[in-house]
Short mmCIF file of all heavy atoms in Angstrom, two decimals:
data_model
loop_
_atom_site.label_atom_id
_atom_site.label_comp_id
_atom_site.label_asym_id
_atom_site.label_seq_id
_atom_site.Cartn_x
_atom_site.Cartn_y
_atom_site.Cartn_z
N ASN A 75 30.72 -8.77 -73.59
CA ASN A 75 31.60 -7.65 -73.91
C ASN A 75 31.24 -7.15 -75.30
O ASN A 75 30.20 -7.52 -75.86
CB ASN A 75 33.08 -8.05 -73.80
CG ASN A 75 33.39 -9.31 -74.62
OD1 ASN A 75 32.98 -9.41 -75.77
ND2 ASN A 75 34.11 -10.24 -74.02
N GLU A 76 32.09 -6.31 -75.86
CA GLU A 76 31.77 -5.71 -77.16
C GLU A 76 31.69 -6.73 -78.28
O GLU A 76 31.01 -6.52 -79.29
CB GLU A 76 32.81 -4.64 -77.51
CG GLU A 76 32.79 -3.44 -76.60
CD GLU A 76 31.47 -2.71 -76.64
OE1 GLU A 76 30.83 -2.72 -77.72
OE2 GLU A 76 31.04 -2.16 -75.62
N LYS A 77 32.35 -7.85 -78.14
CA LYS A 77 32.39 -8.84 -79.20
C LYS A 77 31.52 -10.07 -78.93
O LYS A 77 31.07 -10.73 -79.87
CB LYS A 77 33.83 -9.31 -79.44
CG LYS A 77 34.71 -8.30 -80.15
CD LYS A 77 36.07 -8.88 -80.45
CE LYS A 77 36.91 -7.92 -81.31
NZ LYS A 77 36.37 -7.83 -82.69
N LEU A 78 31.28 -10.41 -77.67
CA LEU A 78 30.61 -11.66 -77.33
C LEU A 78 29.26 -11.41 -76.66
O LEU A 78 29.16 -10.64 -75.71
CB LEU A 78 31.49 -12.49 -76.39
CG LEU A 78 30.90 -13.82 -75.89
CD1 LEU A 78 30.63 -14.76 -77.07
CD2 LEU A 78 31.83 -14.46 -74.87
N SER A 79 28.23 -12.11 -77.19
CA SER A 79 26.89 -12.12 -76.59
C SER A 79 26.41 -13.56 -76.53
O SER A 79 26.67 -14.35 -77.45
CB SER A 79 25.91 -11.27 -77.40
OG SER A 79 26.31 -9.91 -77.41
N ILE A 80 25.69 -13.93 -75.47
CA ILE A 80 25.13 -15.27 -75.34
C ILE A 80 23.63 -15.16 -75.13
O ILE A 80 23.12 -14.14 -74.66
CB ILE A 80 25.78 -16.05 -74.17
CG1 ILE A 80 25.54 -15.32 -72.84
CG2 ILE A 80 27.26 -16.25 -74.41
CD1 ILE A 80 26.03 -16.11 -71.63
N ASN A 81 22.90 -16.23 -75.51
CA ASN A 81 21.46 -16.27 -75.31
C ASN A 81 21.02 -17.68 -74.96
O ASN A 81 21.65 -18.67 -75.36
CB ASN A 81 20.72 -15.77 -76.55
CG ASN A 81 20.96 -16.64 -77.76
OD1 ASN A 81 20.28 -17.64 -77.96
ND2 ASN A 81 21.95 -16.25 -78.59
N TYR A 82 19.94 -17.81 -74.21
CA TYR A 82 19.43 -19.11 -73.76
C TYR A 82 17.93 -18.96 -73.53
O TYR A 82 17.45 -17.92 -73.06
CB TYR A 82 20.14 -19.58 -72.49
CG TYR A 82 20.52 -18.47 -71.54
CD1 TYR A 82 19.61 -18.02 -70.58
CD2 TYR A 82 21.75 -17.83 -71.65
CE1 TYR A 82 19.94 -16.98 -69.72
CE2 TYR A 82 22.09 -16.78 -70.80
CZ TYR A 82 21.18 -16.36 -69.84
OH TYR A 82 21.50 -15.33 -69.00
N ALA A 83 17.16 -20.00 -73.90
CA ALA A 83 15.70 -19.94 -73.79
C ALA A 83 15.12 -21.34 -73.75
O ALA A 83 15.78 -22.32 -74.14
CB ALA A 83 15.11 -19.15 -74.96
N ALA A 84 13.89 -21.45 -73.30
CA ALA A 84 13.17 -22.74 -73.24
C ALA A 84 11.70 -22.50 -73.50
O ALA A 84 11.17 -21.41 -73.24
CB ALA A 84 13.37 -23.40 -71.87
N SER A 85 11.03 -23.50 -74.05
CA SER A 85 9.59 -23.42 -74.30
C SER A 85 8.93 -24.72 -73.89
O SER A 85 9.57 -25.78 -73.85
CB SER A 85 9.30 -23.12 -75.78
OG SER A 85 9.85 -24.12 -76.61
N MET A 86 7.62 -24.64 -73.59
CA MET A 86 6.87 -25.81 -73.11
C MET A 86 5.44 -25.73 -73.63
O MET A 86 4.86 -24.64 -73.73
CB MET A 86 6.87 -25.84 -71.58
CG MET A 86 6.14 -27.05 -70.98
SD MET A 86 6.24 -27.06 -69.19
CE MET A 86 8.00 -27.31 -68.98
N THR A 87 4.89 -26.89 -73.99
CA THR A 87 3.52 -26.93 -74.48
C THR A 87 2.54 -26.84 -73.32
O THR A 87 2.90 -26.99 -72.15
CB THR A 87 3.26 -28.23 -75.26
OG1 THR A 87 3.48 -29.36 -74.39
CG2 THR A 87 4.17 -28.33 -76.47
N MET A 88 1.26 -26.62 -73.67
CA MET A 88 0.22 -26.54 -72.66
C MET A 88 0.03 -27.90 -72.02
O MET A 88 0.04 -28.93 -72.71
CB MET A 88 -1.09 -26.09 -73.30
CG MET A 88 -1.07 -24.66 -73.81
SD MET A 88 -1.10 -23.47 -72.46
CE MET A 88 -2.78 -23.69 -71.88
N PRO A 89 -0.15 -27.97 -70.70
CA PRO A 89 -0.37 -29.26 -70.05
C PRO A 89 -1.76 -29.81 -70.37
O PRO A 89 -2.64 -29.09 -70.84
CB PRO A 89 -0.24 -28.92 -68.55
CG PRO A 89 -0.61 -27.47 -68.47
CD PRO A 89 -0.12 -26.84 -69.75
N GLY A 90 -1.95 -31.09 -70.10
CA GLY A 90 -3.26 -31.72 -70.27
C GLY A 90 -3.50 -32.35 -71.62
O GLY A 90 -4.62 -32.77 -71.92
N GLN A 91 -2.48 -32.45 -72.47
CA GLN A 91 -2.65 -33.07 -73.78
C GLN A 91 -2.69 -34.59 -73.64
O GLN A 91 -1.97 -35.17 -72.83
CB GLN A 91 -1.52 -32.68 -74.71
CG GLN A 91 -1.50 -31.22 -75.10
CD GLN A 91 -0.35 -30.90 -76.04
OE1 GLN A 91 0.64 -31.63 -76.12
NE2 GLN A 91 -0.46 -29.79 -76.77
N ASP A 92 -3.55 -35.24 -74.44
CA ASP A 92 -3.60 -36.70 -74.47
C ASP A 92 -2.47 -37.24 -75.36
O ASP A 92 -2.15 -36.65 -76.39
CB ASP A 92 -4.95 -37.18 -75.03
CG ASP A 92 -6.11 -36.81 -74.11
OD1 ASP A 92 -5.87 -36.72 -72.89
OD2 ASP A 92 -7.22 -36.61 -74.61
N TYR A 93 -1.89 -38.33 -74.94
CA TYR A 93 -0.85 -39.02 -75.72
C TYR A 93 0.32 -38.09 -76.05
O TYR A 93 0.87 -38.14 -77.15
CB TYR A 93 -1.44 -39.61 -77.01
CG TYR A 93 -2.71 -40.39 -76.81
CD1 TYR A 93 -3.93 -39.90 -77.24
CD2 TYR A 93 -2.69 -41.63 -76.16
CE1 TYR A 93 -5.11 -40.60 -77.05
CE2 TYR A 93 -3.86 -42.34 -75.95
CZ TYR A 93 -5.07 -41.81 -76.40
OH TYR A 93 -6.22 -42.51 -76.20
N ALA A 94 0.67 -37.21 -75.12
CA ALA A 94 1.76 -36.26 -75.37
C ALA A 94 3.13 -36.85 -75.07
O ALA A 94 4.15 -36.27 -75.44
CB ALA A 94 1.56 -35.00 -74.53
N GLY A 95 3.18 -38.00 -74.42
CA GLY A 95 4.46 -38.61 -74.09
C GLY A 95 4.99 -38.11 -72.76
O GLY A 95 4.26 -37.56 -71.92
N ASP A 96 6.29 -38.27 -72.53
CA ASP A 96 6.93 -37.86 -71.29
C ASP A 96 7.22 -36.36 -71.31
O ASP A 96 6.98 -35.67 -72.29
CB ASP A 96 8.22 -38.66 -71.07
CG ASP A 96 7.95 -40.16 -70.98
OD1 ASP A 96 6.88 -40.52 -70.46
OD2 ASP A 96 8.81 -40.94 -71.43
N PHE A 97 7.81 -35.88 -70.19
CA PHE A 97 8.10 -34.44 -70.07
C PHE A 97 9.01 -33.96 -71.19
O PHE A 97 8.79 -32.89 -71.77
CB PHE A 97 8.74 -34.17 -68.70
CG PHE A 97 9.25 -32.77 -68.56
CD1 PHE A 97 8.38 -31.71 -68.34
CD2 PHE A 97 10.61 -32.50 -68.67
CE1 PHE A 97 8.85 -30.41 -68.22
CE2 PHE A 97 11.10 -31.20 -68.55
CZ PHE A 97 10.20 -30.15 -68.33
N GLU A 98 10.05 -34.74 -71.52
CA GLU A 98 10.99 -34.28 -72.54
C GLU A 98 10.34 -34.17 -73.92
O GLU A 98 10.88 -33.52 -74.81
CB GLU A 98 12.20 -35.22 -72.62
CG GLU A 98 11.86 -36.66 -72.95
CD GLU A 98 11.68 -37.51 -71.71
OE1 GLU A 98 11.40 -36.93 -70.64
OE2 GLU A 98 11.82 -38.74 -71.82
N ASP A 99 9.17 -34.79 -74.10
CA ASP A 99 8.47 -34.69 -75.38
C ASP A 99 7.67 -33.39 -75.49
O ASP A 99 7.21 -33.04 -76.57
CB ASP A 99 7.52 -35.88 -75.57
CG ASP A 99 8.27 -37.20 -75.57
OD1 ASP A 99 9.37 -37.23 -76.13
OD2 ASP A 99 7.75 -38.18 -75.00
N THR A 100 7.46 -32.69 -74.37
CA THR A 100 6.68 -31.44 -74.38
C THR A 100 7.56 -30.23 -74.08
O THR A 100 7.03 -29.13 -73.88
CB THR A 100 5.56 -31.52 -73.33
OG1 THR A 100 6.15 -31.67 -72.02
CG2 THR A 100 4.65 -32.70 -73.60
N PHE A 101 8.88 -30.42 -74.07
CA PHE A 101 9.81 -29.36 -73.68
C PHE A 101 10.84 -29.16 -74.77
O PHE A 101 11.31 -30.11 -75.39
CB PHE A 101 10.48 -29.76 -72.36
CG PHE A 101 11.56 -28.82 -71.91
CD1 PHE A 101 11.25 -27.67 -71.23
CD2 PHE A 101 12.90 -29.10 -72.17
CE1 PHE A 101 12.25 -26.79 -70.80
CE2 PHE A 101 13.91 -28.25 -71.75
CZ PHE A 101 13.57 -27.09 -71.06
N SER A 102 11.21 -27.89 -75.02
CA SER A 102 12.23 -27.57 -76.02
C SER A 102 13.11 -26.45 -75.47
O SER A 102 12.62 -25.58 -74.73
CB SER A 102 11.59 -27.14 -77.34
OG SER A 102 12.57 -26.90 -78.32
N ALA A 103 14.40 -26.46 -75.81
CA ALA A 103 15.32 -25.44 -75.30
C ALA A 103 16.37 -25.12 -76.36
O ALA A 103 16.62 -25.92 -77.28
CB ALA A 103 15.99 -25.92 -74.02
N ARG A 104 16.96 -23.95 -76.23
CA ARG A 104 18.04 -23.55 -77.12
C ARG A 104 19.04 -22.70 -76.35
O ARG A 104 18.72 -22.07 -75.34
CB ARG A 104 17.54 -22.77 -78.32
CG ARG A 104 16.95 -21.41 -77.98
CD ARG A 104 16.81 -20.55 -79.23
NE ARG A 104 16.06 -19.34 -79.02
CZ ARG A 104 16.55 -18.22 -78.48
NH1 ARG A 104 17.80 -18.21 -78.06
NH2 ARG A 104 15.79 -17.15 -78.34
N ALA A 105 20.28 -22.66 -76.85
CA ALA A 105 21.34 -21.80 -76.31
C ALA A 105 22.32 -21.51 -77.43
O ALA A 105 22.55 -22.34 -78.31
CB ALA A 105 22.05 -22.47 -75.14
N GLY A 106 22.89 -20.31 -77.41
CA GLY A 106 23.84 -19.95 -78.47
C GLY A 106 24.65 -18.73 -78.09
O GLY A 106 24.42 -18.10 -77.05
N PHE A 107 25.62 -18.40 -78.93
CA PHE A 107 26.42 -17.21 -78.69
C PHE A 107 26.71 -16.53 -80.02
O PHE A 107 26.66 -17.15 -81.09
CB PHE A 107 27.72 -17.56 -77.96
CG PHE A 107 28.70 -18.33 -78.81
CD1 PHE A 107 29.66 -17.68 -79.57
CD2 PHE A 107 28.65 -19.72 -78.85
CE1 PHE A 107 30.57 -18.38 -80.34
CE2 PHE A 107 29.55 -20.43 -79.63
CZ PHE A 107 30.51 -19.76 -80.38
N ILE A 108 26.98 -15.24 -79.93
CA ILE A 108 27.33 -14.43 -81.11
C ILE A 108 28.70 -13.81 -80.86
O ILE A 108 28.91 -13.13 -79.84
CB ILE A 108 26.28 -13.34 -81.35
CG1 ILE A 108 24.92 -13.97 -81.66
CG2 ILE A 108 26.71 -12.42 -82.49
CD1 ILE A 108 23.81 -12.96 -81.80
N TRP A 109 29.64 -14.06 -81.78
CA TRP A 109 31.00 -13.54 -81.67
C TRP A 109 31.25 -12.63 -82.87
O TRP A 109 31.22 -13.07 -84.01
CB TRP A 109 32.01 -14.68 -81.63
CG TRP A 109 33.43 -14.21 -81.51
CD1 TRP A 109 34.32 -14.04 -82.52
CD2 TRP A 109 34.11 -13.86 -80.31
NE1 TRP A 109 35.52 -13.59 -82.04
CE2 TRP A 109 35.43 -13.48 -80.66
CE3 TRP A 109 33.74 -13.82 -78.95
CZ2 TRP A 109 36.37 -13.07 -79.73
CZ3 TRP A 109 34.68 -13.42 -78.02
CH2 TRP A 109 35.98 -13.04 -78.41
N LYS A 110 31.44 -11.35 -82.61
CA LYS A 110 31.65 -10.39 -83.68
C LYS A 110 33.09 -10.48 -84.18
O LYS A 110 34.03 -10.44 -83.38
CB LYS A 110 31.36 -8.98 -83.19
CG LYS A 110 29.91 -8.74 -82.81
CD LYS A 110 29.69 -7.31 -82.35
CE LYS A 110 28.25 -7.07 -81.98
NZ LYS A 110 28.02 -5.68 -81.51
N LEU A 111 33.26 -10.60 -85.47
CA LEU A 111 34.58 -10.67 -86.09
C LEU A 111 34.95 -9.33 -86.72
O LEU A 111 34.09 -8.55 -87.13
CB LEU A 111 34.59 -11.77 -87.16
CG LEU A 111 34.24 -13.19 -86.67
CD1 LEU A 111 34.20 -14.15 -87.84
CD2 LEU A 111 35.20 -13.66 -85.60
N GLY A 112 36.25 -9.07 -86.81
CA GLY A 112 36.71 -7.82 -87.41
C GLY A 112 36.70 -6.67 -86.43
O GLY A 112 36.45 -6.82 -85.22
N LYS A 113 36.97 -5.46 -86.96
CA LYS A 113 37.07 -4.26 -86.14
C LYS A 113 35.69 -3.81 -85.69
O LYS A 113 34.74 -3.80 -86.46
CB LYS A 113 37.75 -3.14 -86.93
CG LYS A 113 37.97 -1.87 -86.13
CD LYS A 113 38.66 -0.83 -86.98
CE LYS A 113 38.87 0.46 -86.18
NZ LYS A 113 39.53 1.51 -86.98
N THR A 114 35.62 -3.43 -84.41
CA THR A 114 34.37 -2.96 -83.86
C THR A 114 34.27 -1.46 -84.00
O THR A 114 35.18 -0.73 -83.56
CB THR A 114 34.25 -3.35 -82.38
OG1 THR A 114 34.35 -4.77 -82.26
CG2 THR A 114 32.92 -2.90 -81.80
N ASN A 115 33.22 -0.98 -84.62
CA ASN A 115 33.00 0.45 -84.77
C ASN A 115 32.23 0.95 -83.55
O ASN A 115 31.03 0.72 -83.41
CB ASN A 115 32.21 0.74 -86.05
CG ASN A 115 33.00 0.39 -87.29
OD1 ASN A 115 34.21 0.60 -87.33
ND2 ASN A 115 32.31 -0.15 -88.29
N LYS A 116 33.00 1.65 -82.66
CA LYS A 116 32.37 2.16 -81.46
C LYS A 116 31.62 3.45 -81.76
O LYS A 116 32.10 4.28 -82.53
CB LYS A 116 33.42 2.43 -80.38
CG LYS A 116 34.14 1.18 -79.90
CD LYS A 116 35.11 1.53 -78.78
CE LYS A 116 35.81 0.28 -78.27
NZ LYS A 116 36.76 0.61 -77.16
N PRO A 117 30.53 3.68 -81.16
CA PRO A 117 29.80 4.92 -81.37
C PRO A 117 30.54 6.09 -80.72
O PRO A 117 31.28 5.93 -79.75
CB PRO A 117 28.46 4.66 -80.68
CG PRO A 117 28.76 3.61 -79.67
CD PRO A 117 29.82 2.75 -80.29
N THR A 118 30.41 7.32 -81.29
CA THR A 118 31.06 8.51 -80.74
C THR A 118 30.52 8.81 -79.35
O THR A 118 29.30 8.83 -79.13
CB THR A 118 30.80 9.71 -81.66
OG1 THR A 118 31.28 9.39 -82.97
CG2 THR A 118 31.49 10.95 -81.14
N GLN A 119 31.44 9.05 -78.40
CA GLN A 119 31.04 9.31 -77.04
C GLN A 119 31.48 10.71 -76.63
O GLN A 119 32.52 11.23 -77.08
CB GLN A 119 31.68 8.27 -76.10
CG GLN A 119 31.23 6.84 -76.38
CD GLN A 119 31.88 5.85 -75.42
OE1 GLN A 119 32.76 6.23 -74.66
NE2 GLN A 119 31.43 4.61 -75.47
N ILE A 120 30.74 11.41 -75.78
CA ILE A 120 31.05 12.76 -75.28
C ILE A 120 31.05 12.73 -73.77
O ILE A 120 30.40 11.89 -73.15
CB ILE A 120 30.04 13.79 -75.81
CG1 ILE A 120 28.63 13.42 -75.35
CG2 ILE A 120 30.11 13.89 -77.33
CD1 ILE A 120 27.58 14.45 -75.74
#
């Protein structure tokens, strides 16, 4: 909505590396949200 935004992403290394460990050692992920505080300035609409 006008105040709340969420984001989520993941990254992975190239396969075939020596001594890279298990899958969780080659994988990374993030998630977050943005909550706007205060009055929202809406753009003029026609």
Side-chain angles (χ1 to χ4, degrees):
N75 53 46
E76 293 299 328
K77 286 185 173 290
L78 178 62
S79 297
I80 60 174
N81 63 85
Y82 35 87
S85 59
M86 181 178 295
T87 60
M88 293 288 289
Q91 293 180 339
D92 295 331
Y93 312 109
D96 299 327
F97 172 76
E98 59 267 23
D99 300 322
T100 62
F101 175 82
S102 183
R104 67 165 170 80
F107 70 91
I108 297 175
W109 180 264
K110 295 181 180 179
L111 301 176
K113 184 179 179 180
T114 302
N115 294 322
K116 295 183 179 181
T118 303
Q119 298 180 352
I120 60 175

